[in-house]
Amino acid sequence: MSNSDDGRSPTEQLPDALVEQLDTLEPPELHAVHEYAEQLLEEAHPPLEQQIREEAKGDVLSIEDEGVYTLVRMRSPDTDDSDGDSSLVSLYHVTRERHPDGEETLNWSFIGDLRE
């Protein structure tokens, strides 16, 4: 189900039968529904590594998933190999950010340049 910006409440965006069933649940059951919905949302996103490679502005050398964040080592596309300095690698801290509208994007934070 896609996010809607038409001002409708969440109950107006769901089938009536589902709303009626949710209204009968106790807090532990509602918590389980919430966890299940979060799991479905996570599965709807492409794998983090794939998303990083698609957005990268250079040659990705390594991706290290640290759980809540990911470290990406990447060679910049504007590195000029003719000057003999192709060992310069940039390190990025990458996280997924959820925006108020529900959209998730990657946040790339430049840490610094490294020599290989």
Side-chain angles (χ1 to χ4, degrees):
M1 183 174 289
S2 63
N3 289 332
S4 177
D5 292 331
D6 64 4
R8 296 185 304 156
S9 71
T11 56
E12 293 172 324
Q13 297 177 41
L14 296 171
D16 291 339
L18 179 58
V19 172
E20 289 173 18
Q21 190 167 7
L22 290 172
D23 286 343
T24 66
L25 299 179
E26 296 296 320
E29 296 165 316
L30 288 171
H31 183 69
V33 168
H34 180 262
E35 287 181 2
Y36 179 64
E38 287 289 326
Q39 177 185 344
L40 290 175
L41 288 170
E42 283 295 318
E43 291 171 0
H45 293 291
L48 182 59
E49 183 173 339
Q50 176 187 342
Q51 198 173 359
I52 286 171
R53 290 188 186 282
E54 288 172 356
E55 287 188 19
K57 304 272 192 275
D59 182 25
V60 174
L61 303 174
S62 70
I63 298 173
E64 299 174 32
D65 186 353
E66 301 294 335
V68 294
Y69 67 90
T70 302
L71 291 176
V72 177
R73 290 175 55 241
M74 180 170 53
R75 188 163 280 116
S76 175
D78 54 326
T79 300
D80 186 5
D81 290 338
S82 64
D83 66 3
D85 195 20
S86 63
S87 62
L88 192 61
V89 173
S90 298
L91 183 63
Y92 292 88
H93 178 270
V94 181
T95 57
R96 275 195 172 135
E97 287 190 347
R98 181 171 291 155
H99 301 274
D101 65 0
E103 180 186 2
E104 284 192 5
T105 59
L106 295 185
N107 180 38
W108 293 72
S109 298
F110 176 71
I111 295 176
D113 289 327
L114 310 168
R115 297 239 180 251
E116 284 191 318

